[in-house]
Amino acid sequence: MAYKYTVKNHTYHFNDLKTLMAKATPLRSGDALAGVAADTYEERVAAQMCLADVSLTTFLNEAVIPYEADEITRLIIDTHDRSAFNTIASFTVGALRDWLLSDAADTRLLQQLQYAFTPEMIAAVSKIMRNQDLILAAQKCEVVTRFRNTIGLRGRFSARLQPNHPTDDAKGIAASIIDGLLYASGDAVIGINPATDSPAHVHRLLHMLDELINRFSIPTQSCVLCHITTTIELIAQGAPVDLAFQSVGGTEKTNSSFGINLSLLQEAYDATLSLHRGVTGNNVMYFETGQGSSLSANAHEGVDQQTCEARSYAVARHFKPHIVNSVVGFIGPEYLYDGKQIMRAALEDHFCAKMLGVPMGMDVCYTNHAEADQDDMDNLLLLLGVAGCNFIIGVPGADDIMLNYQSASFHDALYVRKALQLKPAPEFERWLMQHEIIDAEGNPLPVKHTHKLLQHVF
């Protein structure tokens, strides 16, 4: 179906829905690189005005990637809640925006509509929203998950402790973990990006994390971020896997480039669930996403990178994950050029994920060749805290020495909790107080050289 909109006697034509959505997307370098972005600012506005008038039912009748050609499209259509959709079936994209910003759209109702929304509907409405709209609407969404603690409760803000080391030196990793714990980080997960995907190597790291968590009775979960096939192999060997990790994308071809498909993810989900290692719940998956992954894999199918990203959330939510994070600035300036584009993309990712029922966190990050700096990250961190983001990633000094990019530090999680009066996950907060790491108000306490955690490493 073709679309058109007239501005000042000039009529813009858009051949189909995916073209209209791409042209309506706020400017980003990845869409320009893919050749799908609007040619002018006026064309972008015309596309946004045209998109605002599109009925939500159109998204059920016109797939951006054909049903027959893509298993993610089939997943989206086959799991769509048509009964709940009746509540919003009369809306256009513009009417959906207005409704999301109204008091009528409250937390309970948005939770009921998670499967009435398709990723394309939510991606479309995000394209006509200002940054403050994305924050206000996302703030209403509460997506709560459980494993050994409870993540995503309103008024809580968690952190993934990322103790990466360029050679996976056990003592270096342990030192970073203790450092993070003493700065009250690690309630989302203690997650290591290993330097190698060797099963034997990952096995050693999993046992190291398991021993540490058990020794100090830490109410958190571990993850070694290896390929899902390695995790499946290690589970068969009896390895202590808490969360199974995998990067996922929004097209079947993208996931094929990652060496995965929905069947393989289901196998990993079933295997991890069979271990029964959860205490407060059974959310056993950890997914990572990010705008631009489909384009970098030459698998975007002519769809803009933000819509591809929203489609990856349909994959994630199907497996009831404990946590999901977008590595928003990690992919570099070819896809998100500067701090402004990174900030906009992060707010879009968080909004779209929460609307679809995904427990979204964020790696507040940038690469060293992007037009961004730590002030941009400070601004983004605060915006995400206000928007109700479930967690961020923290590394020592905000500098990941294994992956060579700039993220947030352990101090940054403390800052946003202090600035916005947020707390860690409740089980983790009690553990921090029991071990005299924070006081009842969440303030960090001085750490004595005799602290038990320090004795573990030194």
Side-chain angles (χ1 to χ4, degrees), residues 395-407:
V395 302
D399 186 5
D400 191 303
I401 56 173
M402 201 285 278
L403 294 171
N404 290 314
Y405 77 115
Q406 308 303 312
S407 183

PDB file of all heavy atoms in Angstrom, residues 395-407:
ATOM      1  N   VAL A 395      31.043  -0.598  35.139  1.00  0.00           N
ATOM      2  CA  VAL A 395      32.390  -1.181  35.074  1.00  0.00           C
ATOM      3  C   VAL A 395      33.324  -0.276  35.879  1.00  0.00           C
ATOM      4  O   VAL A 395      33.033   0.905  36.083  1.00  0.00           O
ATOM      5  CB  VAL A 395      32.891  -1.298  33.611  1.00  0.00           C
ATOM      6  CG1 VAL A 395      31.943  -2.132  32.780  1.00  0.00           C
ATOM      7  CG2 VAL A 395      33.065   0.065  32.976  1.00  0.00           C
ATOM      8  N   PRO A 396      34.467  -0.795  36.324  1.00  0.00           N
ATOM      9  CA  PRO A 396      35.386   0.041  37.105  1.00  0.00           C
ATOM     10  C   PRO A 396      35.824   1.279  36.333  1.00  0.00           C
ATOM     11  O   PRO A 396      36.340   1.165  35.216  1.00  0.00           O
ATOM     12  CB  PRO A 396      36.575  -0.895  37.383  1.00  0.00           C
ATOM     13  CG  PRO A 396      36.000  -2.280  37.269  1.00  0.00           C
ATOM     14  CD  PRO A 396      34.941  -2.184  36.197  1.00  0.00           C
ATOM     15  N   GLY A 397      35.580   2.451  36.887  1.00  0.00           N
ATOM     16  CA  GLY A 397      36.020   3.693  36.273  1.00  0.00           C
ATOM     17  C   GLY A 397      35.330   4.042  34.972  1.00  0.00           C
ATOM     18  O   GLY A 397      35.778   4.930  34.248  1.00  0.00           O
ATOM     19  N   ALA A 398      34.267   3.358  34.623  1.00  0.00           N
ATOM     20  CA  ALA A 398      33.494   3.580  33.393  1.00  0.00           C
ATOM     21  C   ALA A 398      34.254   3.191  32.133  1.00  0.00           C
ATOM     22  O   ALA A 398      33.813   3.464  31.023  1.00  0.00           O
ATOM     23  CB  ALA A 398      33.017   5.037  33.273  1.00  0.00           C
ATOM     24  N   ASP A 399      35.412   2.528  32.291  1.00  0.00           N
ATOM     25  CA  ASP A 399      36.267   2.191  31.151  1.00  0.00           C
ATOM     26  C   ASP A 399      36.415   0.680  31.085  1.00  0.00           C
ATOM     27  O   ASP A 399      37.092   0.085  31.922  1.00  0.00           O
ATOM     28  CB  ASP A 399      37.629   2.879  31.326  1.00  0.00           C
ATOM     29  CG  ASP A 399      38.527   2.693  30.118  1.00  0.00           C
ATOM     30  OD1 ASP A 399      38.075   2.112  29.118  1.00  0.00           O
ATOM     31  OD2 ASP A 399      39.689   3.122  30.192  1.00  0.00           O
ATOM     32  N   ASP A 400      35.766   0.053  30.088  1.00  0.00           N
ATOM     33  CA  ASP A 400      35.859  -1.403  29.963  1.00  0.00           C
ATOM     34  C   ASP A 400      37.172  -1.757  29.260  1.00  0.00           C
ATOM     35  O   ASP A 400      37.334  -1.501  28.065  1.00  0.00           O
ATOM     36  CB  ASP A 400      34.665  -1.965  29.189  1.00  0.00           C
ATOM     37  CG  ASP A 400      34.603  -3.486  29.292  1.00  0.00           C
ATOM     38  OD1 ASP A 400      35.593  -4.146  28.911  1.00  0.00           O
ATOM     39  OD2 ASP A 400      33.578  -3.996  29.761  1.00  0.00           O
ATOM     40  N   ILE A 401      38.092  -2.361  30.000  1.00  0.00           N
ATOM     41  CA  ILE A 401      39.433  -2.607  29.462  1.00  0.00           C
ATOM     42  C   ILE A 401      39.488  -3.867  28.593  1.00  0.00           C
ATOM     43  O   ILE A 401      40.486  -4.107  27.929  1.00  0.00           O
ATOM     44  CB  ILE A 401      40.472  -2.740  30.600  1.00  0.00           C
ATOM     45  CG1 ILE A 401      40.060  -3.855  31.585  1.00  0.00           C
ATOM     46  CG2 ILE A 401      40.634  -1.422  31.320  1.00  0.00           C
ATOM     47  CD1 ILE A 401      41.095  -4.144  32.625  1.00  0.00           C
ATOM     48  N   MET A 402      38.415  -4.656  28.559  1.00  0.00           N
ATOM     49  CA  MET A 402      38.377  -5.818  27.662  1.00  0.00           C
ATOM     50  C   MET A 402      37.703  -5.469  26.340  1.00  0.00           C
ATOM     51  O   MET A 402      38.213  -5.770  25.270  1.00  0.00           O
ATOM     52  CB  MET A 402      37.655  -6.988  28.333  1.00  0.00           C
ATOM     53  CG  MET A 402      37.985  -8.356  27.728  1.00  0.00           C
ATOM     54  SD  MET A 402      37.218  -8.707  26.155  1.00  0.00           S
ATOM     55  CE  MET A 402      35.597  -9.239  26.697  1.00  0.00           C
ATOM     56  N   LEU A 403      36.543  -4.790  26.415  1.00  0.00           N
ATOM     57  CA  LEU A 403      35.789  -4.455  25.211  1.00  0.00           C
ATOM     58  C   LEU A 403      36.189  -3.111  24.618  1.00  0.00           C
ATOM     59  O   LEU A 403      35.744  -2.743  23.537  1.00  0.00           O
ATOM     60  CB  LEU A 403      34.288  -4.473  25.518  1.00  0.00           C
ATOM     61  CG  LEU A 403      33.713  -5.850  25.877  1.00  0.00           C
ATOM     62  CD1 LEU A 403      32.281  -5.724  26.367  1.00  0.00           C
ATOM     63  CD2 LEU A 403      33.770  -6.789  24.685  1.00  0.00           C
ATOM     64  N   ASN A 404      36.997  -2.325  25.336  1.00  0.00           N
ATOM     65  CA  ASN A 404      37.530  -1.050  24.844  1.00  0.00           C
ATOM     66  C   ASN A 404      36.438  -0.056  24.449  1.00  0.00           C
ATOM     67  O   ASN A 404      36.383   0.417  23.308  1.00  0.00           O
ATOM     68  CB  ASN A 404      38.467  -1.284  23.663  1.00  0.00           C
ATOM     69  CG  ASN A 404      39.755  -1.938  24.098  1.00  0.00           C
ATOM     70  OD1 ASN A 404      40.365  -1.536  25.085  1.00  0.00           O
ATOM     71  ND2 ASN A 404      40.162  -2.977  23.392  1.00  0.00           N
ATOM     72  N   TYR A 405      35.541   0.237  25.366  1.00  0.00           N
ATOM     73  CA  TYR A 405      34.547   1.282  25.164  1.00  0.00           C
ATOM     74  C   TYR A 405      34.249   1.932  26.503  1.00  0.00           C
ATOM     75  O   TYR A 405      34.697   1.456  27.559  1.00  0.00           O
ATOM     76  CB  TYR A 405      33.283   0.709  24.520  1.00  0.00           C
ATOM     77  CG  TYR A 405      32.371  -0.061  25.479  1.00  0.00           C
ATOM     78  CD1 TYR A 405      31.094   0.401  25.767  1.00  0.00           C
ATOM     79  CD2 TYR A 405      32.798  -1.235  26.092  1.00  0.00           C
ATOM     80  CE1 TYR A 405      30.270  -0.289  26.637  1.00  0.00           C
ATOM     81  CE2 TYR A 405      31.980  -1.929  26.966  1.00  0.00           C
ATOM     82  CZ  TYR A 405      30.712  -1.454  27.240  1.00  0.00           C
ATOM     83  OH  TYR A 405      29.901  -2.128  28.116  1.00  0.00           O
ATOM     84  N   GLN A 406      33.509   3.030  26.454  1.00  0.00           N
ATOM     85  CA  GLN A 406      33.207   3.783  27.666  1.00  0.00           C
ATOM     86  C   GLN A 406      31.772   3.497  28.099  1.00  0.00           C
ATOM     87  O   GLN A 406      30.829   3.701  27.332  1.00  0.00           O
ATOM     88  CB  GLN A 406      33.384   5.285  27.427  1.00  0.00           C
ATOM     89  CG  GLN A 406      34.725   5.662  26.830  1.00  0.00           C
ATOM     90  CD  GLN A 406      35.892   5.197  27.672  1.00  0.00           C
ATOM     91  OE1 GLN A 406      35.911   5.399  28.875  1.00  0.00           O
ATOM     92  NE2 GLN A 406      36.857   4.548  27.041  1.00  0.00           N
ATOM     93  N   SER A 407      31.604   3.043  29.332  1.00  0.00           N
ATOM     94  CA  SER A 407      30.284   2.731  29.861  1.00  0.00           C
ATOM     95  C   SER A 407      30.032   3.606  31.091  1.00  0.00           C
ATOM     96  O   SER A 407      30.605   4.691  31.212  1.00  0.00           O
ATOM     97  CB  SER A 407      30.217   1.235  30.195  1.00  0.00           C
ATOM     98  OG  SER A 407      28.939   0.866  30.644  1.00  0.00           O
TER      99      SER A 407
END
